[in-house]
Amino acid sequence: MRRKPNTLVPFERQLLMAALAFAEAGQPEFHGYAIARDIAEAAEAKRLVGHGTLYRALDRLDDFGMLASRLEDADAAAAASRPRRRMYWLTAEGELAAIAARQAMSSPVSNLQQGWASQ
Amino acid sequence: MSAILVRQNSANAIVRGWTRLYTAGTPAGAKERRRIQIESDLWEEAAEASAAGLPQGLLFVNIVGRMIRGMPADILWRTRYGGPNVNLSISLPRATGLLLLILAVAAVAGTSIQGYDTSRDSWPSEFQRLGEQGETTNHLTTAFFFVIGFAMIGVATLLGVLLIPKSRILASLAAAFLGAAGVAITISAALYGAISSEAAEFAAGKAPATAIAEARILVIVLDGMMIAAAAALAPACYALAAVLLRTNLAPRWSAAFPLLSGLSFTALAVVEVGRFSGYAAWGLFMGTLLPLSGWLIVVGFKLLLSDALSGPAKAPATA
């Protein structure tokens, strides 16, 4: 079944919440592997999310305008002897969506009511 | 850090190969963006594993496992950009014949060649032999299984594209079972890579004695995957045979092959449930796969060499 445009799947909401946690910790910018590790640790999961799942979700959130991204400066990557990272950060719209996702998660009753309301 | 990267080359090469495959034909910007994301991710995971002292075999499994788990999303990502702009001038019967022959090779090679032998010697001596036979041999064997697994997934996709318009349910079933067999063989490849990597470390005195028992568990899972691949191949071929017979792409007499195989497959299921002798099970296993391989080769060549059975129906322009 094809999902509606601009509808977030649970993993995309998890990404937004993790991005919000990064911002609140004073690290507004993050790269793909860092957020995959953060999500796995938060969920106490042994396995990291698949490459395709992670980067497709990040690209979708970028397309929706909830995340913004830039390619890291080549000199910075060369100085650290590693490939260049694509750095992401929450936009204002993404922050609102992340806060809403966090509230929905912490309030199962309101989540249920939203589900009823949408039926 | 360079040492760990060199030892991770096989896992990284597999992920890079898959990334090149599914980004082929996409706009340069999208392709470059995805490849940069993957390169960075591979580097970060290897660096973290190095810092944590994670065993190389486990890191290999983690990286390839992440690739496999992400494959459905990769394919969905790829569909945004449409299929590659390939103008197929080959007819439907010939394209089907060619795919059946590729499938015959992949099925025989994927279910008959293992790269290790636990029946001849005890597992510890076989594990030692694996470790001593050299990284190149082990990498080539791993790569071979990945090629077979990917080939089967590719054949499943293309046969689905070609035959679903002819027979929606049967062709979908055939493609799904073939895809499942391909995934099982791809997982086997990842497991073989992990086992042989662990064996190399053990032979070099860098892994503890417990590595033998750990690798044995992986071998049991690997054997299970190979059985799963064979078990998925049989119904895939039956469904394919039904599609080709219904659409007159295969001659009626060729139905004898899958019928013979089907009888053997049913008997094999009874034998396995009843836990009869291993020889009987082996005989019936071969009785299932050999007629199917014969059917794939005979019908594959017939379709490839002649379009006479159903006329020159053209394949879709894109794949």
Side-chain angles (χ1 to χ4, degrees):
Chain A
M1 193 173 69
R2 191 175 290 273
R3 62 176 147 147
K4 292 174 190 171
N6 297 344
T7 309
L8 296 180
V9 297
F11 180 64
E12 289 162 352
R13 286 196 287 271
Q14 272 183 297
L15 275 176
L16 288 175
M17 287 189 285
L20 183 61
F22 270 113
E24 287 168 347
Q27 287 181 302
E29 289 197 354
F30 55 88
H31 54 85
Y33 185 80
I35 201 158
R37 168 59 61 204
D38 191 71
I39 288 172
E41 283 172 3
E44 296 181 2
K46 288 182 182 172
R47 298 183 311 179
L48 292 177
V49 63
H51 299 127
T53 315
L54 173 66
Y55 293 107
R56 179 169 178 257
L58 285 171
D59 286 351
R60 274 173 53 85
L61 292 173
D62 203 341
D63 290 346
F64 291 164
M66 293 182 182
L67 291 179
S69 72
R70 68 174 175 87
L71 193 56
E72 184 187 35
D73 183 53
D75 292 338
S81 303
R82 56 171 167 69
R84 293 169 82 182
R85 293 166 168 167
R86 176 159 286 279
M87 305 303 294
Y88 301 85
W89 64 94
L90 267 181
T91 61
E93 190 181 345
E95 193 174 342
L96 287 174
I99 291 167
R102 184 186 277 176
Q103 284 172 347
M105 197 174 184
S106 62
S107 172
V109 174
S110 67
N111 200 14
L112 200 62
Q113 285 168 341
Q114 280 178 10
W116 286 336
S118 67
Q119 284 178 0
Chain B
M1 193 50 58
S2 61
I4 196 167
L5 285 175
V6 170
R7 290 160 80 181
Q8 279 312 301
N9 270 351
S10 54
N12 289 356
I14 290 161
V15 177
R16 287 184 189 120
W18 167 243
T19 308
R20 275 191 211 102
L21 184 69
Y22 75 79
T23 57
T26 56
K31 187 185 299 182
E32 185 66 10
R33 179 183 173 107
R34 178 52 62 98
R35 289 182 185 176
I36 285 172
Q37 288 168 327
I38 295 294
E39 278 305 318
S40 169
D41 193 295
L42 290 173
W43 189 93
E44 300 290 345
E45 186 155 12
E48 187 183 74
S50 172
L54 194 73
Q56 293 301 297
L58 193 55
L59 178 56
F60 181 97
V61 171
N62 286 349
I63 290 176
V64 176
R66 287 186 68 204
M67 178 193 78
I68 292 170
R69 290 198 299 279
M71 276 178 166
D74 287 330
I75 293 166
L76 286 171
W77 175 87
R78 182 64 181 79
T79 58
R80 281 174 61 179
Y81 303 101
N85 192 15
V86 179
N87 213 356
L88 285 179
S89 56
I90 188 169
S91 68
L92 173 66
R94 283 191 174 169
T96 307
L98 183 63
L99 290 171
L100 292 186
L101 290 174
I102 294 169
L103 178 59
V105 173
V108 171
T111 54
S112 309
I113 301 169
Q114 285 188 307
Y116 61 88
D117 181 5
T118 52
S119 59
R120 191 183 53 197
D121 291 310
S122 65
W123 172 242
S125 61
E126 183 64 7
F127 189 61
Q128 183 75 26
R129 185 191 66 77
L130 271 178
E132 289 170 352
Q133 72 179 359
E135 278 197 350
T136 307
T137 307
N138 284 333
H139 287 167
L140 282 175
T141 310
T142 307
F144 168 79
F145 279 116
F146 269 109
V147 168
I148 296 292
F150 286 147
M152 211 168 274
I153 293 168
V155 167
T157 309
L158 291 174
L159 279 175
V161 169
L162 289 177
L163 298 177
I164 284 174
K166 300 275 175 192
S167 174
R168 191 176 178 83
I169 294 174
L170 283 171
S172 299
L173 272 176
F177 275 117
L178 272 182
V183 169
I185 292 174
T186 307
I187 293 171
S188 301
L191 289 168
Y192 183 83
I195 293 163
S196 57
S197 172
E198 196 70 22
E201 292 203 354
F202 179 75
K206 293 177 185 171
T210 52
I212 298 174
E214 289 165 8
R216 180 70 181 145
I217 294 167
L218 292 182
V219 163
I220 291 167
V221 178
L222 197 160
D223 285 343
M225 283 293 150
M226 298 306 268
I227 292 169
L233 269 174
C237 289
Y238 300 148
L240 266 179
V243 173
L244 297 188
L245 283 166
R246 280 184 58 179
T247 52
N248 289 330
L249 283 167
R252 297 255 172 234
W253 55 262
S254 68
F257 289 89
L259 278 176
L260 180 64
S261 167
L263 287 173
S264 184
F265 188 66
T266 309
L268 178 63
V270 173
V271 164
E272 278 298 306
V273 171
R275 290 282 170 211
F276 297 136
S277 79
Y279 288 111
W282 181 84
L284 290 171
F285 179 73
M286 296 311 288
T288 302
L289 285 186
L290 282 180
L292 288 181
S293 306
W295 178 81
L296 287 170
I297 292 167
V298 168
V299 176
F301 268 118
K302 191 156 184 59
L303 288 172
L304 186 65
L305 298 176
S306 165
D307 289 344
L309 280 161
S310 69
K314 291 290 179 186
T318 56

